[in-house]
Amino acid sequence: MSEANTSETAAVSIHHLSKSFDDVEVLRDVELEVKTGEVVTIIGSSGSGKSTLLRCINWLEKPDRGSIHIAGQRIGVHEDGRPMPVRELAKVRAQTGMVFQGFNLWPHLNVLHNVTEAPIHVQGKSKREAEELATALLEKVGMSQKHDSYPNTLSGGQKQRVAIARALAMQPEVMLFDEPTSALDPELVGEVLAVIKDLSAEGYTMVMVTHEMAFARAVSDQVVFLEKGLIIERADPETFFTTPKTDRVRKFLENHDTPSSA
Amino acid sequence: MSNWDILWDERAQFLSGFLSTLEIFGLSIVGAFVIGCGLLYLLEGSRKRLTMPLRIFIDAMRMLPFLILAYLLYYGLPSIGIRLDAWWSGVGALAVYHGCYFAEIFRGNRLTFPPGQIEAAQAHGFTKGKLFFRLLLPQIIMQTRPLLGNQLIYALKDTAFLVIITVSELTAAANSLSSTYFIPTEAFIVVIGFYWAISVAMEIIIKQCGRFSAKRGFDNV
Ligand SMILES: Nc1ncnc2c1ncn2[C@@H]1O[C@H](COP(=O)(O)OP(=O)(O)OP(=O)(O)O)[C@@H](O)[C@H]1O
Ligand SMILES: [Mg+2]
């Protein structure tokens, strides 16, 4: 897992990343480096390109220009520009664990099998090994009572915790969270944030898009502010939330009732 | 001796017709199912040069009366050098014809499949084949179960057409007994009973399968 990685290579390194959707530039020359064990939060207004940035990291969105490396390994294309064969792409993708706003659990599989599905059928782990791992991870997210339940019987918070366990089961280099609590009823947000907070304390590498400012401030090592596809500010959370450099960020924070202190 | 007694004495003929119908039906729906899944998989591809002809083929099949397809396979294929006996022509025609219907049913459901689930699979390193067989197909089958059940009934009824290309199945047995002894009403009442029995049994099985999907929230039984 990530905390064991002591090499110098960054978990994620993004250079000159650009992406357009029909002539609209959604990401513009984005540079981002996520060190192993680091938590990076991406903040920005709606439509600023946060999801697109996150989805480029595991190639769910194909960038127009630039390069992305996961633990030193290029994703999507080879260094010489050749497109990466699907099998190879799938392997690099499996180095990232993604948690979606809408959970996206597989409804025909029970909780345990949602978590063991990819380890068994993508990574080729034995059933026993995958189930041991899944059991430990479901315990970690507080879902060990629900192995046999099907997703349709779970609350949103429970679904998201299972989705987190499912992503962790790939033992990825980096976890990607796209607004993991935005689809939840307010009273369920806390249980999911608590799980993510535990992960950060354990040293997992994470890139997270969130509108939960207090949470971002508490768990991040680095906060990045996106505006129209440009990173206009990046800083440690204290600096970012107390003394932002740009008016744009100051305005944004005023509108998002920021905590006065963490 | 009443007409019914005659039929009772000839029960062996009914029974062999019944078994033959069961066999034809069983084999052809398995074939149809495999063809339906195969077509669905091929339609997943993004290459228009493959998907366009397939779509046209499926639509053409669906617009064709089944009997004409059976005629074509039995009487038409020999002219291009392929000779199938009546039995295999019948099974083949049923499998292809209903396979296209299956494909269409699957395809309709595929179009409403939540894209987020597919993205989640891709993010977890699934490639096309595994994604299809492990995640897409099982859900599509569970979701289309009632429609598939209906289609199976149509397929069962279409087996009766095969009497016309000389397959000796249930309807053929009734046909031959009714003309030998001239008792059409009783003979056909007996085969109606057999067809109903198969249909009812099938309905029950399909309904039982519904519990499996209901548990996963796919539908309510
Ligand atoms: N598949 C797509 N096709 C066309 N335009 C897209 C597509 N995906 C995103 N966009 C556009 O790109 C821009 C950035 O979208 P993105 O989803 O990255 O924003 P976001 O910062 O995540 O916003 P939100 O906070 O609302 O989730 C938006 O203007 C959006 O309409
Ligand atoms: Mg978004």
Side-chain angles (χ1 to χ4, degrees):
Chain A
M1 258 170 233
S2 48
E3 63 262 48
N5 188 340
T6 52
S7 78
E8 285 293 299
T9 32
V12 180
S13 79
I14 299 173
H15 293 296
H16 302 299
L17 178 68
S18 298
K19 168 80 184 168
S20 304
F21 287 115
D22 344 286
D23 298 340
V24 182
E25 278 211 286
V26 176
L27 293 176
R28 291 188 273 174
D29 203 34
V30 169
E31 294 280 321
L32 183 65
E33 182 129 328
V34 183
K35 294 196 204 70
T36 298
E38 206 178 23
V39 179
V40 174
T41 307
I42 302 167
I43 291 174
S45 53
S46 181
S48 57
K50 305 180 300 292
S51 296
T52 307
L53 173 55
L54 208 62
R55 292 159 56 81
C56 280
I57 296 177
N58 63 3
W59 216 256
L60 282 181
E61 226 51 92
K62 207 170 151 230
D64 299 330
R65 279 184 304 283
S67 69
I68 300 165
H69 289 80
I70 314 290
Q73 208 173 358
R74 180 89 181 251
I75 188 166
V77 284
H78 286 289
E79 299 293 356
D80 59 11
R82 279 179 302 124
M84 194 173 258
V86 281
R87 292 197 170 279
E88 207 175 321
L89 172 61
K91 266 213 185 94
V92 188
R93 264 183 177 156
Q95 300 283 311
T96 67
M98 191 164 208
V99 176
F100 299 83
Q101 183 176 343
F103 327 126
N104 296 338
L105 293 179
W106 300 308
H108 63 306
L109 302 174
N110 69 21
V111 164
L112 182 69
H113 292 149
N114 260 278
V115 181
T116 59
E117 180 71 12
I120 294 175
H121 298 283
V122 173
Q123 295 180 318
K125 283 203 167 81
S126 73
K127 192 164 183 273
R128 202 179 57 88
E129 194 185 352
E131 281 181 0
E132 270 170 21
L133 176 64
T135 305
L137 290 171
L138 286 169
E139 167 107 52
K140 192 201 283 283
V141 300
M143 290 295 292
S144 42
Q145 303 303 309
K146 295 278 185 184
H147 279 201
D148 301 325
S149 304
Y150 286 92
N152 68 310
T153 64
L154 304 179
S155 73
Q158 292 174 323
K159 282 183 195 167
Q160 196 59 300
R161 286 186 281 146
V162 174
I164 292 171
R166 175 177 72 170
L168 289 171
M170 301 299 288
Q171 299 177 300
E173 291 290 334
V174 57
M175 289 284 287
L176 310 171
F177 293 87
D178 191 359
E179 302 196 31
T181 59
S182 294
L184 298 177
D185 292 339
E187 72 268 23
L188 301 177
V189 168
E191 63 189 62
V192 172
L193 293 184
V195 166
I196 301 175
K197 198 165 184 173
D198 283 348
L199 297 180
S200 81
E202 284 179 47
Y204 280 91
T205 312
M206 305 196 269
V207 181
M208 177 166 48
V209 174
T210 184
H211 289 299
E212 301 283 336
M213 295 302 148
F215 180 69
R217 185 170 185 172
V219 302
S220 308
D221 297 300
Q222 204 190 143
V223 180
V224 165
F225 190 89
L226 259 187
E227 171 75 4
K228 298 199 181 102
L230 277 175
I231 294 185
I232 60 167
E233 201 156 334
R234 69 178 90 210
D236 63 274
E238 272 316 301
T239 315
F240 183 89
F241 286 105
T242 54
T243 52
K245 288 196 284 283
T246 58
D247 285 344
R248 178 68 193 94
V249 174
R250 209 168 300 130
K251 263 246 180 60
F252 180 90
L253 293 177
E254 276 166 18
N255 293 336
H256 277 80
D257 48 40
T258 331
S260 48
S261 72
Chain B
M1 197 153 133
S2 84
N3 291 345
W4 295 106
D5 291 330
I6 297 172
L7 292 180
W8 178 249
D9 285 343
E10 296 287 354
R11 61 187 178 278
Q13 238 195 92
F14 275 120
L15 193 66
S16 95
F18 173 69
L19 291 178
S20 166
T21 287
L22 270 187
E23 197 178 355
I24 290 167
F25 177 62
L27 211 63
S28 56
I29 62 172
V30 169
F33 186 76
V34 172
I35 289 171
C37 296
L39 287 172
L40 178 67
Y41 181 77
L42 293 175
L43 287 173
E44 280 290 300
S46 47
R47 271 172 306 168
K48 270 250 174 340
R49 250 184 304 162
L50 178 68
T51 55
M52 266 300 281
L54 281 178
R55 293 217 55 83
I56 292 170
F57 173 72
I58 292 171
D59 283 339
M61 279 293 159
R62 290 194 306 133
M63 288 179 231
L64 193 68
F66 171 71
L67 186 54
I68 296 197
L69 179 66
Y71 272 143
L72 268 181
L73 288 198
Y74 186 53
Y75 296 112
L77 279 186
S79 67
I80 57 164
I82 303 170
R83 190 169 295 277
L84 295 174
D85 62 25
W87 199 86
W88 280 109
S89 306
V91 170
L94 281 167
V96 171
Y97 189 78
H98 291 280
C100 288
Y101 272 98
F102 279 157
E104 191 61 22
I105 291 171
F106 291 151
R107 187 70 193 157
N109 186 263
R110 171 64 183 90
L111 295 177
T112 64
F113 197 89
Q117 271 193 54
I118 295 175
E119 290 194 334
Q122 288 168 337
H124 283 76
F126 276 87
T127 46
K128 191 185 161 203
K130 280 205 171 123
L131 199 164
F132 179 82
F133 285 106
R134 298 208 48 88
L135 304 175
L136 269 176
L137 191 58
Q139 291 189 48
I140 288 177
I141 291 170
M142 282 186 226
Q143 227 139 18
T144 54
R145 181 188 51 83
L147 294 174
L148 296 179
N150 261 339
Q151 195 59 41
L152 292 181
I153 305 254
Y154 289 127
L156 174 64
K157 292 195 294 189
D158 280 349
T159 61
F161 277 120
L162 300 186
V163 65
I164 296 178
I165 60 165
T166 75
V167 176
S168 50
E169 37 68 78
L170 193 49
T171 303
N175 220 7
S176 112
L177 288 174
S178 89
S179 53
T180 309
Y181 301 102
F182 206 71
I183 42 171
T185 310
E186 289 84 350
F188 283 114
I189 285 175
V190 172
V191 295
I192 289 171
F194 275 115
Y195 283 119
W196 279 356
I198 302 177
S199 302
V200 168
M202 209 155 57
E203 288 266 282
I204 291 171
I205 293 170
I206 298 278
K207 192 128 202 170
Q208 289 302 312
C209 295
R211 291 189 179 183
F212 185 82
S213 40
K215 203 166 138 196
R216 290 154 175 79
F218 284 97
D219 52 14
N220 5 340
V221 178

